[in-house]
């Protein structure tokens, strides 16, 4: 499904983020930038050892809510943007703020590097336990908020692993059509 907001297309895609040919793909990393499971495991497995080698050179790792970038190794993307969402602790530990900040930091970094397309997984909703629905609302608010401003980004892709997450994003974006004056539906098909 495709939407348009100002100059940028927002696309929903169901599948594996390592197969997406966006200029930047976002990794759901941890603060130590140590390879883990989920999206992170898949990115290092498919992208090869050059990504972890570069992660190890980054002093201070990547605090929660921030982002750093590395080569994409053998992935079809040009760059991997590693960002760290919060671990869900019940909702009163600034999780929403930190999750929004993880999305924003990745968008700013992509822009700084002149990248025009970026693909996000559903940050924090796997090993970090953030409830999918709340996380979807935060992700869309952060991205749509960012796209109100001048940007070099021409495409933002939300890559959802499950049909359930895809449907969640679809429903939420359709609801936003009513309240977001600059958002419009481009195409219904995936
Ligand atoms: N492509 C797209 N989405 C995926 C893929 C994939 N290949 N694999 C899983 N997902 P997670 P987190 C979905 O756990 O919660 C790692 O160990 C998955 O279904 O990857 O931010 C890191 O090293 C879920 O909806 O990230 C960290 O320690 C979403 O991606 C920690 O996990 C995020 O799940 C980060 O946890």
């Amino acid at each position: 499904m495709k939407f348009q907001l100002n100059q940028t297309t927002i696309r929903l895609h169901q599948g594996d983020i390592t197969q997406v040919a966006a200029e930047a793909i976002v990794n759901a990393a941890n603060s130590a930038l140590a390879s883990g499971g989920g999206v992170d495991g898949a990115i290092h497995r498919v992208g090869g050892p050059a990504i972890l080698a570069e992660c190890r050179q980054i002093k201070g790792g990547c605090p929660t809510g921030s982002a750093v970038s590395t080569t994409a190794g053998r992935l079809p993307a040009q760059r991997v943007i590693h960002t760290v969402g919060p671990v869900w602790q019940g909702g009163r530990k600034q999780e929403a703020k930190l999750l929004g900040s993880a999305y924003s930091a990745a968008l700013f970094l992509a822009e700084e590097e002149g990248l025009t397309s970026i693909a996000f997984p559903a940050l924090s909703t796997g090993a970090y336990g953030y409830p999918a629905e709340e996380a979807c609302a935060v992700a869309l608010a952060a991205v749509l908020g960012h796209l109100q401003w001048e940007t070099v980004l021409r495409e933002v892709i939300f890559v959802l692993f499950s049909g359930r997450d895809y449907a969640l994003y679809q429903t939420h974006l359709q609801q936003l059509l009513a309240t977001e004056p600059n958002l419009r539906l481009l195409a219904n098909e995936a």
Side-chain angles (χ1 to χ4, degrees):
M1 203 166 203
K2 273 204 294 198
F3 295 81
Q4 180 89 26
L5 180 54
N6 299 326
Q7 300 274 290
T8 311
T9 301
I10 298 170
R11 189 154 65 86
L12 301 184
H13 173 79
Q14 191 187 340
D16 175 357
I17 199 163
T18 63
Q19 304 305 309
V20 174
E23 290 181 6
I25 68 166
V26 175
N27 184 17
N30 54 65
S31 295
L33 296 174
S35 171
V39 173
D40 197 15
I43 283 179
H44 288 291
R45 199 163 50 244
V46 180
I51 301 174
L52 194 57
E54 217 179 304
C55 283
R56 291 201 172 114
Q57 304 300 313
I58 299 172
K59 296 219 163 43
C62 185
T64 305
S66 67
V68 297
S69 67
T70 65
T71 173
R74 295 193 290 261
L75 291 166
Q78 290 175 21
R79 300 286 287 166
V80 173
I81 296 183
H82 306 262
T83 186
V84 181
V87 175
W88 179 256
Q89 296 179 73
R92 295 188 177 184
K93 302 273 186 190
Q94 312 239 40
E95 290 97 324
K97 189 173 159 226
L98 290 165
L99 184 60
S101 164
Y103 279 93
S104 304
L107 292 164
F108 279 121
L109 189 50
E111 287 170 338
E112 242 175 77
E113 297 196 2
L115 302 165
T116 62
S117 58
I118 183 168
F120 282 100
L123 297 171
S124 281
T125 65
Y128 283 180
Y130 208 118
E133 225 169 304
E134 281 91 330
C136 167
V138 173
L140 291 176
V143 170
L144 268 56
H146 191 96
L147 297 178
Q148 304 294 334
W149 304 91
E150 183 68 37
T151 178
V152 294
L153 289 166
R154 290 295 166 265
E155 187 171 44
V156 177
I157 308 166
F158 290 103
V159 183
L160 293 324
F161 213 37
S162 69
R164 203 166 145 197
D165 284 348
Y166 184 94
L168 191 63
Y169 271 70
Q170 189 173 13
T171 305
H172 203 104
L173 268 166
Q174 276 166 331
Q175 282 166 358
L176 286 169
L177 286 170
T179 52
E180 179 55 66
N182 298 325
L183 183 68
R184 62 194 181 88
L185 180 63
L186 279 185
N188 261 311
E189 70 275 12

